[in-house]
Amino acid sequence: MALYSEKVMEHFRNPRNVGVIEDANGIGEVGNAKCGDIMKMYLKIEDDIIQDVKFETFGCGSAIASSSMATELIKGKPVAEAEKLTNQAVAEALDGLPAYKMHCSVLAEEAIHAALEDWRSRGKTE
Ligand code: FES
């Protein structure tokens, strides 16, 4: 069996929503101390809907694929739904990750939650 699913490889080679949102109103940056990988999520939220989401990931292929999939899963969705996104859901949507790579999907969950927290701390005024 191949180590990585086709979906992981596809999102790694062709990541969706890469980049920066200049007028983002929620930004979250997280890192994994062990591997040193860093992920930054930008959210543009209007009327409690994730209108746009982009990411920058300095990290392994699984982290890039996880960020890409995570952005796809929350784009256009209500904030309440994005809040419930788990790393398991990201990994499942990628048709699985090797056990020792699951922490890469945790980074995506954490980055989105950090960005949502940032948005909330701004008082939803923007
Ligand atoms: Fe660090 Fe994948 S090895 S996020």
Side-chain angles (χ1 to χ4, degrees):
M1 199 192 97
L3 192 52
Y4 293 109
S5 73
E6 298 243 326
K7 263 198 198 160
V8 171
M9 292 310 292
E10 211 274 308
H11 276 264
F12 166 60
R13 290 199 187 103
N14 221 344
R16 319 316 192 248
N17 307 308
V18 177
V20 174
I21 299 176
E22 294 297 343
D23 61 343
N25 53 5
I27 300 174
E29 185 172 334
V30 294
N32 181 301
K34 279 194 191 135
C35 63
D37 291 353
I38 297 166
M39 194 181 287
K40 196 164 180 181
M41 280 284 167
Y42 299 84
L43 300 175
K44 180 73 189 167
I45 300 173
E46 268 162 38
D47 301 328
D48 282 358
I49 301 284
I50 315 283
Q51 302 286 355
D52 200 8
V53 48
K54 289 202 188 302
F55 76 91
E56 291 177 311
T57 293
F58 180 80
C60 72
S62 298
I64 291 167
S66 294
S67 336
S68 170
M69 182 54 88
T71 59
E72 292 260 274
L73 290 174
I74 66 164
K75 199 169 183 176
K77 299 277 166 58
V79 167
E81 215 170 298
E83 270 167 349
K84 290 194 209 121
L85 184 79
T86 62
N87 76 298
Q88 280 93 349
V90 173
E92 265 167 40
L94 286 168
D95 291 338
L97 281 169
Y100 68 97
K101 282 286 179 183
M102 280 304 282
H103 77 271
C104 316
S105 61
V106 172
L107 221 49
E109 176 190 321
E110 288 178 350
I112 285 172
H113 288 165
L116 287 169
E117 216 163 279
D118 178 48
W119 169 70
R120 214 168 285 112
S121 75
R122 298 182 191 208
K124 304 184 185 182
T125 50
E126 292 172 62

